[in-house]
Amino acid sequence: METRIRKLDYSRIDENIIQEAGQIIREGGLVAFPTETVYGLGGDALNPESSRKIYAAKGRPSDNPLIVHIAEKSDLYRIVREVPQKAEKLMEAFWPGPLTMIFFKNELVPEATTGGLGTVAVRMPSDRIAAAFIRAAGGFVAAPSANVSGRPSTTTAGHVEEDLSGRIEMILDGGQAVIGLESTIVDMSVEPPVILRPGAVTREMMEEQIGPLEVDKAIIAPDSGIKPKAPGMKYRHYAPRADLAVVEGQTEQVIAAINRMTEEKEAEGKRVGIIATDETASRYPKGLVFSLGARRHEEEIAMHLFEVLRDFDETDVDCIYSESFEEASIGPAIMNRLLKAAGHKVIHV
Ligand code: TXA
Ligand code: MG
C-alpha cells in the first residue's frame, strides 16, 4: 500500500487533512500521528480488526495491550467500569498530557485492544493535532508507539516513515515530538496505584496530588527476574544494532573511562560510538561522538535520546558507550529507556 504523508502546521491545522485521516480510522485503516511524547500508530480502539492490523504493522506480539487515546475527559467514563477519586485528581492535574492511567474496562473495549486483559490503558494527549485527529476518528484511537517492534519509539515523521512506510494508510507530520519519551503509566485499578513506566509526569508530581504511590518492582530491579505488570515492559526495546553500555560515575571519571575504553577498542580495529552531552562532547578526541543536548536541560536529553539511538544505526560503529543521567525530574525516565536499550549493561567507574 502507498502511505500518504500529510504535513500539518500547528498555527493553522488543516481541517481537510484531519477529516481525511479521521475517515481512514473510521473505515478500519491505520494512521500514524504526532503526540507530545512520541508518534502513535493509530487505529479504531473499538474495532478488533483495527487492533489486529496495528499488531501486524508493528510486528508486535498481540498479548501486548494498546493505549486508548481520547480527546475529551468525559469519554473516559464511556469505556471504563469505574474511575477512582484519585484518578479524577490526576486527570484534573495532568490531562491532557503525558500520563496514561489503567482502569477496569467495560464491554465497549474489545479484548483485541487490551491484549486479552480486563483492564484498559487510557491517555488524553495535549498535542493539538492529536486531539483534532482523535475527534475526527470517532473519539477512541488505540495507539502504540509508531515504531517497528523492538526499535526506538519515533519522535519525527521521518522515523515513522523509515519503520512503517508501505504498511499504513497515512502519516500525519507534526514535526518533532517535544517530550521525546513515552508517557508515564500508572495503574489505577489497584490501591495504592502503581507506576508501571516512568515518564515526564514524575512520581513526585503525582504524589503531591494523591499521596503515596508504589513503583513496579520490575522497574526498580530490572535484573531480578520479576515479571513487569505492563506486558510491554518485558520485551527488549530500543536496542541499537551496536553493543551499547552505559557508564556510571563522577563525570570526570566517566570521561576518562570512556576515552580509555575507546582507545582499547580502536586498537582492536573496532569502531566506537559515544553518547555525550554538549558540555562533554569536546572531551572525547576519538570515536564517533553524538550529543544529546545540554545536560543542564534534561528535557533536551529526553527529546533527543531515541533520535540518537536511531542515528547510530545509520553508522558502522561496533559498540557505543553512553554517559548516564540521573539527577533531575525526568532523569528516571531517561535512564529507564537508556538501560533498556543497553540490555542493562552498566559499567561502574
Ligand atoms: O506516550 C505514549 O504512551 C505513546 C503515545 C503514542 O501515546 N504510546 C506508547 O504505547 O508508548 P506503547 O504501546 O508503545 O506502550 C504502552 C505500554 C506497553 O508497555 C503496554 O504493555 C502497557 O503500556 N499497557 C497497555 N495497556 C495495559 C494494561 N491494561 N495493563 C498494563 N499495561 C498496559
Ligand atoms: Mg512502544
Side-chain angles (χ1 to χ4, degrees):
M1 115 183 27
E2 201 190 325
T3 302
R4 283 174 265 170
I5 298 172
R6 296 280 186 270
K7 203 164 168 42
L8 285 161
D9 180 349
Y10 283 89
S11 65
R12 195 170 36 83
I13 297 174
D14 186 334
E15 188 57 30
N16 291 328
I17 295 176
I18 294 292
Q19 288 307 325
E20 190 187 356
Q23 189 179 349
I24 292 171
I25 299 294
R26 282 185 274 108
E27 290 172 353
L30 304 182
V31 176
F33 62 101
T35 85
E36 68 278 20
T37 57
V38 298
Y39 275 71
L41 168 53
D44 180 354
L46 307 185
N47 177 351
E49 201 43 54
S50 299
S51 294
R52 281 190 275 273
K53 281 191 195 165
I54 291 175
Y55 289 114
K58 259 186 88 98
R60 172 173 176 153
S62 59
D63 68 340
N64 189 358
L66 307 174
I67 296 174
V68 177
H69 295 69
I70 58 175
E72 312 289 341
K73 287 180 188 170
S74 58
D75 280 345
L76 173 67
Y77 298 84
R78 295 177 52 197
I79 55 170
V80 305
R81 277 205 263 138
E82 55 174 336
V83 180
Q85 224 174 18
K86 286 183 181 175
E88 285 185 327
K89 279 201 168 160
L90 293 182
M91 270 166 82
E92 204 47 54
F94 305 114
W95 274 11
L99 175 67
T100 297
M101 289 192 272
I102 291 171
F103 304 92
F104 290 108
K105 73 173 197 71
N106 70 18
E107 62 294 336
L108 214 57
V109 184
E111 288 199 349
T113 300
T114 64
L117 297 177
T119 52
V120 61
V122 188
R123 167 159 124 77
M124 180 175 171
S126 62
D127 184 280
R128 288 185 301 111
I129 292 174
F133 162 64
I134 294 163
R135 283 193 191 99
F140 302 96
V141 173
S145 48
N147 52 282
V148 162
S149 194
R151 292 209 78 201
S153 298
T154 47
T155 53
T156 68
H159 297 166
V160 180
E161 207 183 332
E162 257 169 50
D163 277 21
L164 297 172
S165 188
R167 303 194 197 187
I168 61 179
E169 276 79 2
M170 183 180 280
I171 300 171
L172 294 177
D173 180 354
Q176 177 152 31
V178 292
I179 294 177
L181 299 179
E182 308 88 343
S183 62
T184 306
I185 303 179
V186 57
D187 186 353
M188 305 306 294
S189 74
V190 292
E191 180 51 43
V194 182
I195 297 173
L196 305 187
R197 181 172 74 184
V201 174
T202 65
R203 178 182 190 167
E204 294 71 29
M205 288 159 72
M206 291 188 285
E207 288 188 332
E208 204 170 289
Q209 301 292 328
I210 60 169
L213 289 173
E214 284 182 1
V215 179
D216 189 3
K217 296 203 178 51
I219 298 175
I220 306 168
D223 292 332
S224 61
I226 295 170
K227 193 165 164 260
K229 292 213 178 71
M233 298 289 277
K234 72 174 178 277
Y235 296 107
R236 180 123 195 251
H237 261 79
Y238 319 132
R241 204 178 32 73
D243 248 355
L244 169 65
V246 179
V247 186
E248 282 190 351
Q250 300 280 323
T251 305
E252 287 304 316
Q253 275 148 341
V254 168
I255 294 170
I258 291 180
N259 280 328
R260 197 184 59 246
M261 293 185 293
T262 301
E263 279 198 22
E264 286 166 11
K265 291 283 184 193
E266 289 192 347
E268 294 169 17
K270 299 245 163 70
R271 294 262 295 144
V272 180
I274 299 171
I275 300 180
T277 54
D278 289 355
E279 291 89 338
T280 58
S282 67
R283 306 280 308 277
Y284 300 105
K286 299 237 163 74
L288 177 62
V289 184
F290 287 159
S291 173
L292 291 171
R295 182 176 280 277
R296 62 185 183 283
H297 300 305
E298 289 224 305
E299 317 80 58
E300 273 189 31
I301 306 287
M303 189 166 145
H304 296 124
L305 178 61
F306 290 146
E307 185 176 2
V308 163
L309 290 176
R310 276 176 181 268
D311 286 348
F312 269 119
D313 278 350
E314 306 290 310
T315 73
D316 61 352
V317 300
D318 302 294
C319 59
I320 305 168
Y321 296 111
S322 177
E323 296 179 6
S324 61
F325 305 88
E326 265 161 314
E327 305 85 50
S329 59
I330 199 170
I334 296 171
M335 283 309 286
N336 172 263
R337 308 312 193 274
L338 190 56
L339 288 170
K340 262 171 156 306
H344 296 283
K345 196 189 295 166
V346 179
I347 299 168
H348 294 279
V349 297

